[in-house]
Amino acid sequence: MSGQDFPTDEMRYDLLTQQALRGVIRSALQRANEADGLPGAHHFFITFKTRATGVSIPADLLDRYPDEITIVIQHQYWDLVPDEAGFSIVLQFSGQPKKLVVPYAAITRFYDPSVQFVLQFEPPFITEVEEDEPDPTDEDDDGPQDDGPKVVSLDQFRKK
């Protein structure tokens, strides 16, 4: 190696590319909205970070999916409204309609299985909400609580 440093990508082409590819998602959702539904066999699996900036989902869904959720846009969806920054949609969860607002920047995966089209994105930077620190002078505090081992279900990742 010559010992030369590689130039810094001050244009951030990696981010520009991801922005452009997120535009593909926006265009696909706009087509679905304008065509009064998805054409042919097209349908979308959209995975996004539930705690990303700008995401708005009901609290019960956030409790069930504290990190990431995959939604399916196929037959039963209502009020799809794509715009420049993201989209809103009403989907049913356990028979109940729920409104979701999703910025394109929160999306980590877009998949249309009808044509095997996949876009994968770097997860957005998410700032953790800090919980209040316990007051060390509070005598009612029994100290840190151990809730036991953390169990993660892998069922959502298994092929069905």
Side-chain angles (χ1 to χ4, degrees):
M1 206 155 134
S2 66
Q4 267 185 337
D5 289 335
F6 290 102
T8 303
D9 177 10
E10 294 181 28
M11 293 295 289
R12 293 300 313 261
Y13 286 113
D14 58 334
L15 295 178
L16 292 173
T17 301
Q18 285 201 24
Q19 280 180 318
L21 290 173
R22 289 179 200 281
V24 171
I25 299 169
R26 180 180 63 244
S27 295
L29 292 173
Q30 286 171 337
R31 281 188 174 186
N33 193 39
E34 292 165 1
D36 227 10
L38 291 160
H42 290 282
H43 56 289
F44 309 140
F45 287 74
I46 300 175
T47 304
F48 62 93
K49 293 291 188 177
T50 56
R51 296 191 186 273
T53 302
V55 169
S56 175
I57 64 173
D60 62 320
L61 289 180
L62 190 56
D63 288 343
R64 283 179 33 202
Y65 305 98
D67 179 50
E68 197 169 67
I69 187 173
T70 300
I71 59 171
V72 179
I73 302 176
Q74 188 170 13
H75 299 299
Q76 293 189 345
Y77 65 91
W78 301 269
D79 301 329
L80 174 61
V81 180
D83 63 26
E84 288 302 309
F87 68 97
S88 62
I89 191 168
V90 175
L91 296 171
Q92 281 195 8
F93 293 86
S94 301
Q96 298 295 313
K98 310 269 182 173
K99 182 176 182 178
L100 297 90
V101 177
V102 182
Y104 299 120
I107 296 173
T108 57
R109 189 168 193 262
F110 176 87
Y111 177 48
D112 183 343
S114 70
V115 291
Q116 299 299 304
F117 180 78
V118 178
L119 293 173
Q120 192 87 23
F121 299 97
E122 293 294 318
F125 178 75
I126 298 172
T127 55
E128 293 294 324
V129 177
E130 293 183 22
E131 295 183 22
D132 292 336
E133 290 289 321
D135 184 355
T137 60
D138 186 358
E139 294 178 14
D140 293 335
D141 186 13
D142 295 334
Q145 297 287 325
D146 181 29
D147 295 330
K150 303 294 183 221
V151 178
V152 178
S153 173
L154 298 178
D155 290 340
Q156 66 184 3
F157 301 106
R158 290 191 176 110
K159 291 185 179 183
K160 295 180 180 180

